[in-house]
Amino acid sequence: MDPLRHVKPAVRQIRAYTLAAREAPVKINQNENPWDLPEAVKRRVLDKALVRPWARYPDFDPRELTEALARFSGWSADGILAGNGSNELIEALLLVTVGPGTKVVIPEPTFTLYAHLTGILGGVAIRVPLGEDLRYDTTALVEARQRSGAAVTVVCSPNNPTGTSLARPDLERLCQAGDGLVVVDEAYHEFSGETAVPLLEKHPNLVILRTFSKAMALAGLRVGYLLSSPEIVGEVNKARLPYNVNFFTQAAAIAAIEEHAVLEEMVRRLVEERERLLARLEDLPGVRAWPSKANFFLLELLAASPKAVFESLYRRGVLVRDVTSYPMLSRCLRVSVGTPEENETFLHALGAALGEAGMNLSADTGRA
Ligand code: PMP
């Protein structure tokens, strides 16, 4: 008996997408909004849920949500698809485009789910390293796209975990270099003030993905949306599972849209905090904090071991993301921007962690 032999070899080869379960008083490892929606808004959603029968399915087409998303994003409702987190839409999009041997151009390092799902579907990830200063190398992306005849090219803008973004003229170059889909993952767009939505009209191969998990403060309820031409949306919709967005999440997403002024203020403060943190870290010896357009940034440890600093921060109650296994980032941790208080705790813990690591370094090298 070897039932496992029936699992696709491409799947047997890869490891599951996971995140080690760790908790900490200062949790700045998942790029979430450190503030929540106001309690009054949460109660409004709860009240709505209480009068609705839970035994009944949600709407087959979450029309009220899609129409709210259309007004919110400035794109037409028939070009919008809501999902159970943007992850689900990444999956649906790749399901309808990728089969054995399909080429998908994926910069690296980037959000790992794209290459992971491409592998599961039997596709081939054509990896294009980021260029100088971890910026997108548009020429290399265009070349890879054309040479491989890629069905899909993925660009996260701002990119996770580097915080770098793709300028609009570069994106247009990518869209024009062939008819393969160009997916712009805008999970963090609110923190950059940039969006590709105005290009949708002009580029029928452009697909934009957005999420409510970051700036919109709804990671726990799972909602994301895809924007593209109605034709592409119609095709991706075929791979969407029925009733994928539950009624509670639909109501919460609509409430978050109604409260967008509150959320925009949070985004403004987070961007301010990001810049304050980066400025403070400029003066700290032994680290380089990379500029970022998102609600996180890379912290490069110039001498100390990043893993040792990660553990040392954790012992001090601060949980960041270890990204040392990503290509090019073997000396880096990823730090999400938290509340001002959390950021102070982080800075303080980092100072102590670096001091501790420095002592270990001198012990290792036998220097005083
Ligand atoms: N895209 C990017 C670039 C991300 O960083 C993340 C979350 N880490 C996602 C998509 C997934 O977000 P969601 O919670 O909407 O599934």
Side-chain angles (χ1 to χ4, degrees):
M1 277 290 278
D2 183 15
L4 285 178
R5 77 186 169 86
H6 300 289
V7 176
K8 297 193 279 187
V11 174
R12 297 296 307 278
Q13 265 168 30
I14 57 177
R15 272 186 291 159
Y17 180 92
T18 57
L19 179 65
R22 293 211 198 201
E23 279 299 327
V26 176
K27 192 175 165 300
I28 44 176
N29 67 331
Q30 283 188 287
N31 305 338
E32 296 147 319
N33 187 327
W35 294 291
D36 225 7
L37 280 173
E39 181 158 336
V41 180
K42 289 165 127 182
R43 290 205 179 279
R44 215 166 71 213
V45 176
L46 282 170
D47 288 344
K48 221 168 150 181
L50 280 175
V51 294
R52 193 231 188 252
W54 291 24
R56 302 290 176 184
Y57 280 106
D59 298 336
F60 194 85
D61 276 321
R63 189 153 311 148
E64 194 188 343
L65 172 60
T66 313
E67 277 164 13
L69 288 170
R71 287 189 298 276
F72 186 52
S73 64
W75 185 239
S76 58
D78 57 358
I80 293 180
L81 192 62
N84 184 22
S86 59
N87 282 345
E88 187 200 29
L89 298 166
I90 295 171
E91 182 194 56
L93 179 69
L94 295 178
L95 271 174
V96 302
T97 51
V98 178
T102 307
K103 311 289 192 300
V104 181
V105 171
I106 304 177
E108 72 174 3
T110 195
F111 184 43
T112 53
L113 191 66
Y114 287 97
H116 184 85
L117 291 174
T118 298
I120 288 178
L121 294 167
V124 180
I126 311 281
R127 295 170 196 263
V128 179
L130 295 182
E132 204 179 322
D133 284 338
L134 300 177
R135 283 196 294 256
Y136 281 114
D137 182 344
T138 311
T139 303
L141 286 169
V142 165
E143 230 173 75
R145 179 167 160 72
Q146 290 178 327
R147 192 169 11 89
S148 65
V152 182
T153 298
V154 176
V155 182
C156 298
S157 187
N159 188 33
N160 173 13
T162 60
T164 39
S165 67
L166 187 72
R168 196 179 277 190
D170 290 327
L171 174 57
E172 294 217 69
R173 255 179 85 197
L174 266 187
C175 289
Q176 284 156 0
D179 64 0
L181 303 187
V182 175
V183 179
V184 180
D185 184 329
E186 293 194 344
Y188 304 96
H189 78 98
E190 292 94 334
F191 306 102
S192 72
E194 296 163 7
T195 176
V197 168
L199 299 181
L200 282 168
E201 193 90 62
K202 200 163 140 201
H203 299 285
N205 56 346
L206 178 60
V207 179
I208 298 174
L209 289 165
R210 286 181 170 181
T211 179
F212 275 53
S213 299
K214 313 295 176 182
M216 303 296 282
L218 277 187
L221 291 184
R222 315 298 303 126
V223 55
Y225 59 114
L226 177 152
L227 307 108
S228 191
S229 70
E231 292 75 20
I232 289 192
V233 163
E235 298 302 322
V236 178
N237 189 37
K238 295 176 185 173
R240 175 181 72 98
L241 292 177
Y243 314 108
N244 58 332
V245 185
N246 69 69
F247 73 79
F248 194 88
T249 294
Q250 289 182 36
I254 290 167
I257 290 173
E258 286 164 359
E259 294 302 317
H260 69 99
V262 176
L263 293 163
E264 276 159 22
E265 175 58 16
M266 291 176 185
V267 168
R268 194 191 61 71
R269 288 169 68 192
L270 286 170
V271 169
E272 209 174 88
E273 277 298 299
R274 177 187 74 203
E275 295 307 313
R276 187 180 73 84
L277 269 173
L278 291 177
R280 288 275 295 273
L281 290 166
E282 232 169 63
D283 302 329
L284 192 66
V287 299
R288 175 178 180 193
W290 286 76
S292 164
K293 291 192 169 176
N295 63 336
F296 57 82
F297 59 89
L298 285 176
L299 183 72
E300 184 177 352
L301 283 307
L302 300 174
S305 144
K307 282 194 184 296
V309 171
F310 173 90
E311 292 298 341
S312 182
L313 286 170
Y314 186 60
R315 282 196 300 279
R316 291 173 169 82
V318 178
L319 180 59
V320 298
R321 186 68 149 259
D322 176 358
V323 291
T324 54
S325 63
Y326 285 63
M328 300 181 176
L329 305 183
S330 61
R331 302 214 56 84
C332 292
L333 301 174
R334 191 193 70 193
V335 181
S336 309
V337 179
T339 64
E341 300 73 37
E342 288 175 328
N343 299 334
E344 279 309 307
T345 308
F346 159 72
L347 285 171
H348 190 75
L350 179 64
L354 288 172
E356 191 178 277
M359 287 196 314
N360 291 340
L361 268 185
S362 5
D364 288 349
T365 54
R367 283 186 279 121

